[in-house]
Amino acid sequence: MDLANRIDGNFRDSANLKLAAVEELTAPIAAAIERMVDCLREDGKILSCGNGGSAADAQHFSSELLNRFEAERPGLAAVALTTDTSTLTSIANDYDYQQVCARQVRALGHPGDVLLAISTSGNSRNVIAAVHAAHEAQMTVVALTGRGGGALLHELGRSDIHICVPSTVTARIQEVHLLALHCLCDGIDCLLLGVR
């Protein structure tokens, strides 16, 4: 097995997908930035959720807002719904794993807040349940998906924003998700701080 060629192929596949996706993803990413900035300016908060690597992305995103991204600024209101193991396990035990994020959205979400729902397949049942809870709370949903959006695509409302990576390969989708999250952070800072 030629590992050097495999590594080279992974780098090239990742770079090629990012370049191919930029035209398709620019508008929804920009719309998500504007919606998130409106939320934060109105003293709202951004809740985020996902499973596995998408949970890590949710945590990564919220940490960039709560602490800082590239520029010094006050912390911004963001909560990853994937970090509190006592809450996650109690909800999964007392109700169902599908409710682990939805119950938190119902407790923490308010009209005008934003839910960042991350699912590479778009088929994560607990993320879809969180989207339903966000709609009940009159929140906007920003969905970060791949594979055409899966079942989540059909749960989005007219005011929601869908950032769908045009790929079926999980690793490549996640790599573009990370770039999209960094674009969100950069754009939020740009609009709030005038960062160049």
Side-chain angles (χ1 to χ4, degrees), residues 101-120:
C101 296
R103 286 189 65 82
Q104 293 182 77
V105 170
R106 288 187 184 97
L108 301 172
H110 298 287
D113 288 347
V114 172
L115 174 68
L116 175 62
I118 309 173
S119 173
T120 57

Side-chain angles (χ1 to χ4, degrees), residues 21-45:
V22 66
E23 189 170 321
E24 187 173 335
L25 299 185
T26 297
I29 292 172
I33 291 166
E34 291 173 347
R35 189 71 52 84
M36 289 177 173
V37 167
D38 289 345
C39 165
L40 294 166
R41 283 181 171 151
E42 295 296 318
D43 292 325
K45 62 189 161 301

Side-chain angles (χ1 to χ4, degrees), residues 82-153:
T82 55
T83 59
D84 183 343
T85 55
S86 295
T87 295
L88 293 171
T89 56
S90 69
I91 294 170
N93 183 63
D94 293 350
Y95 297 95
D96 183 86
Y97 184 76
Q98 186 172 321
Q99 296 301 313
V100 294
C101 296
R103 286 189 65 82
Q104 293 182 77
V105 170
R106 288 187 184 97
L108 301 172
H110 298 287
D113 288 347
V114 172
L115 174 68
L116 175 62
I118 309 173
S119 173
T120 57
S121 67
N123 294 321
S124 303
R125 289 179 296 161
N126 63 321
V127 173
I128 292 171
V131 167
H132 291 166
H135 288 154
E136 291 166 10
Q138 300 177 347
M139 297 170 60
T140 296
V141 174
V142 174
L144 193 53
T145 70
R147 296 189 181 134
L152 183 53
L153 172 66

Side-chain angles (χ1 to χ4, degrees), residues 33 37 41 184-196:
I33 291 166
V37 167
R41 283 181 171 151
L184 292 172
C185 293
D186 177 70
I188 289 168
D189 278 5
C190 177
L191 292 185
L192 288 178
L193 304 175
V195 173
R196 295 182 181 212

